[in-house]
Every structure is written in C-alpha cells, then in structure tokens.
Amino acid sequence: MSPLTTPEATAAPLTTQELYRELLLRIGEDPTRDGLLDTPERMEKSMAFLTRGYTQNGADVLHGALFDVEYDEMVIVKDIEFFSLCEHHLLPFFGKAHVAYLPKGKVIGLSKLPRLVDVFARRLQVQERLTTQIADAITEAIDPQGVAVILEAQHLCMMMRGVEKQHSATVTSAMRGVFKSQLQTRNEFLSLIRRPGANL
Ligand SMILES: [Zn+2]
C-alpha cells in the first residue's frame, strides 16, 4: 500500500476526519459528493462512541457499588445486551451476556454488571477475551466464591462475508472458582439461563 497521498501527510499528521476522507477515496468513493460530505465527521464520532471503553475501566465503574452482605446464594444477571467490534475486521459482533457469581461477603450493585460488560465491549475485541475480561473484573472487585460468564454473539464479519450461516451464534464461557470446580453450581447456572432454541 502506498503512503497517504494527501500533502498534509508530510507536514502535519492527518486529523481523524482526513483519514476517513482518504479511506473513502481509496475504496473508490467520492468524498465530495453530497451524501458523504459529513461522513468523516460522523465516522469519527461514531468510532469514538463505539470504542469509549478505552477511556473507562472496570474498577471505576464498580466504584461505590460494592456492598458487604451475608447473602451467599447465586447472583445472576442474564440477557445483558452488548455490542462490540471484532478486532480483525472492525465489524460488529453483538448478542447477550449472562453473568453470575457466588458472593463471599460482597456483592455488586446489579445495575453495574451491564455497565461492566459495556466497558469491555466498547473496545476492539475478540469474543473470548471479552468473556474473560468480564469474569476477571468481577473476581478482582469482590473476590467471590466463583464467577461465570457466558456470551452468545453473532459476528457480522462472518455473516456478511458468508463465512457462517446467518443465524448461528458463537458461544464463549469463562468459569472461575466454584463454577469451574463444582458441576452442580455450573449446572444450576446453565439451567437458569437456558431457554428453548438457544444453543447453550
Ligand atoms: Zn472479524
């Protein structure tokens, strides 16, 4: 690939919008036509939104939402919608996250679990790493008896390019502590998130 053709490339670094304009040119478009005039600006804003997880971290999100409790039964939040971008093609993958943990003296405010998923989803990702990062963040925050995270997702990079059947989902899981060592705990979690038609 040849270096950037815009004259500014040698003088000052390109702005993000100039980069997107260049990208539009290179795929064979005319960035000066009406419909595309504001596209570089929109792309910059959109990309900043879709990757805002880089400016956040798990500890900050959970800050002030950790509570001491006696409760030691399983806590489950299922069907957490998430949207991410695959790091190989920068195309979306999206689906549902199911998160569970068995507390050991501390719990996380329930509304914070979707936020935590979002922090890691709004970055360039592979589904496997997204899954383990969520589990690790919960482990670090409250050191529970165990954590389980399952992600079911559809990947547009596979669907749009015809690599995969349109409705198949990729399932990844991270099991920690008792969810890993105790079959009964793991099965309880799985039975609570299972529904007809799902491929879990
Ligand atoms: Zn991909």
mmCIF file of all heavy atoms in Angstrom, residues 86-91 155 157-158 161, ligand 1:
data_model
loop_
_atom_site.group_PDB
_atom_site.id
_atom_site.type_symbol
_atom_site.label_atom_id
_atom_site.label_comp_id
_atom_site.label_asym_id
_atom_site.label_seq_id
_atom_site.Cartn_x
_atom_site.Cartn_y
_atom_site.Cartn_z
ATOM 1 N N CYS A 86 -15.224 -6.499 16.267
ATOM 2 C CA CYS A 86 -14.161 -7.504 16.195
ATOM 3 C C CYS A 86 -12.867 -6.824 15.788
ATOM 4 O O CYS A 86 -12.853 -5.934 14.947
ATOM 5 C CB CYS A 86 -14.521 -8.636 15.242
ATOM 6 S SG CYS A 86 -14.052 -8.372 13.535
ATOM 7 N N GLU A 87 -11.794 -7.228 16.426
ATOM 8 C CA GLU A 87 -10.524 -6.548 16.177
ATOM 9 C C GLU A 87 -9.883 -6.978 14.861
ATOM 10 O O GLU A 87 -8.919 -6.373 14.420
ATOM 11 C CB GLU A 87 -9.559 -6.778 17.347
ATOM 12 C CG GLU A 87 -9.067 -8.187 17.504
ATOM 13 C CD GLU A 87 -8.159 -8.334 18.730
ATOM 14 O OE1 GLU A 87 -8.211 -7.475 19.613
ATOM 15 O OE2 GLU A 87 -7.404 -9.319 18.764
ATOM 16 N N HIS A 88 -10.419 -7.996 14.234
ATOM 17 C CA HIS A 88 -9.825 -8.445 12.970
ATOM 18 C C HIS A 88 -10.389 -7.706 11.766
ATOM 19 O O HIS A 88 -9.694 -7.529 10.772
ATOM 20 C CB HIS A 88 -10.051 -9.952 12.796
ATOM 21 C CG HIS A 88 -9.465 -10.760 13.904
ATOM 22 N ND1 HIS A 88 -10.156 -11.755 14.560
ATOM 23 C CD2 HIS A 88 -8.256 -10.688 14.501
ATOM 24 C CE1 HIS A 88 -9.387 -12.266 15.502
ATOM 25 N NE2 HIS A 88 -8.240 -11.632 15.500
ATOM 26 N N HIS A 89 -11.657 -7.305 11.847
ATOM 27 C CA HIS A 89 -12.292 -6.672 10.694
ATOM 28 C C HIS A 89 -12.953 -5.337 11.029
ATOM 29 O O HIS A 89 -13.476 -4.679 10.144
ATOM 30 C CB HIS A 89 -13.362 -7.605 10.110
ATOM 31 C CG HIS A 89 -12.851 -8.971 9.762
ATOM 32 N ND1 HIS A 89 -12.859 -10.018 10.656
ATOM 33 C CD2 HIS A 89 -12.294 -9.441 8.626
ATOM 34 C CE1 HIS A 89 -12.338 -11.091 10.067
ATOM 35 N NE2 HIS A 89 -11.981 -10.769 8.843
ATOM 36 N N LEU A 90 -12.953 -4.983 12.310
ATOM 37 C CA LEU A 90 -13.672 -3.795 12.770
ATOM 38 C C LEU A 90 -15.136 -3.824 12.355
ATOM 39 O O LEU A 90 -15.728 -2.804 12.001
ATOM 40 C CB LEU A 90 -12.996 -2.504 12.288
ATOM 41 C CG LEU A 90 -11.992 -1.915 13.293
ATOM 42 C CD1 LEU A 90 -10.771 -2.793 13.419
ATOM 43 C CD2 LEU A 90 -11.623 -0.507 12.914
ATOM 44 N N LEU A 91 -15.707 -5.012 12.367
ATOM 45 C CA LEU A 91 -17.138 -5.165 12.113
ATOM 46 C C LEU A 91 -17.803 -5.578 13.426
ATOM 47 O O LEU A 91 -17.151 -6.171 14.288
ATOM 48 C CB LEU A 91 -17.376 -6.214 11.031
ATOM 49 C CG LEU A 91 -17.028 -5.755 9.601
ATOM 50 C CD1 LEU A 91 -17.081 -6.922 8.635
ATOM 51 C CD2 LEU A 91 -17.966 -4.638 9.151
ATOM 52 N N HIS A 155 -21.593 -12.596 14.670
ATOM 53 C CA HIS A 155 -20.480 -11.788 14.155
ATOM 54 C C HIS A 155 -20.761 -11.367 12.716
ATOM 55 O O HIS A 155 -20.842 -12.204 11.830
ATOM 56 C CB HIS A 155 -19.184 -12.602 14.199
ATOM 57 C CG HIS A 155 -18.702 -12.882 15.584
ATOM 58 N ND1 HIS A 155 -17.534 -12.329 16.098
ATOM 59 C CD2 HIS A 155 -19.224 -13.619 16.587
ATOM 60 C CE1 HIS A 155 -17.372 -12.735 17.339
ATOM 61 N NE2 HIS A 155 -18.371 -13.533 17.664
ATOM 62 N N CYS A 157 -18.795 -9.965 10.758
ATOM 63 C CA CYS A 157 -17.668 -10.248 9.856
ATOM 64 C C CYS A 157 -17.806 -11.639 9.246
ATOM 65 O O CYS A 157 -17.320 -11.888 8.153
ATOM 66 C CB CYS A 157 -16.323 -10.078 10.562
ATOM 67 S SG CYS A 157 -16.005 -11.243 11.885
ATOM 68 N N MET A 158 -18.477 -12.538 9.937
ATOM 69 C CA MET A 158 -18.723 -13.863 9.371
ATOM 70 C C MET A 158 -20.004 -13.878 8.556
ATOM 71 O O MET A 158 -20.069 -14.425 7.468
ATOM 72 C CB MET A 158 -18.775 -14.904 10.493
ATOM 73 C CG MET A 158 -17.421 -15.076 11.184
ATOM 74 S SD MET A 158 -17.291 -16.617 12.090
ATOM 75 C CE MET A 158 -18.107 -16.193 13.607
ATOM 76 N N ARG A 161 -19.845 -11.764 5.214
ATOM 77 C CA ARG A 161 -18.919 -12.305 4.219
ATOM 78 C C ARG A 161 -19.285 -13.749 3.860
ATOM 79 O O ARG A 161 -18.569 -14.406 3.123
ATOM 80 C CB ARG A 161 -17.481 -12.212 4.741
ATOM 81 C CG ARG A 161 -17.056 -10.750 5.017
ATOM 82 C CD ARG A 161 -15.609 -10.640 5.430
ATOM 83 N NE ARG A 161 -15.302 -11.572 6.495
ATOM 84 C CZ ARG A 161 -14.198 -12.311 6.550
ATOM 85 N NH1 ARG A 161 -13.300 -12.225 5.614
ATOM 86 N NH2 ARG A 161 -14.009 -13.124 7.560
HETATM 87 ZN ZN ZN B 1 -13.965 -10.322 12.433
#
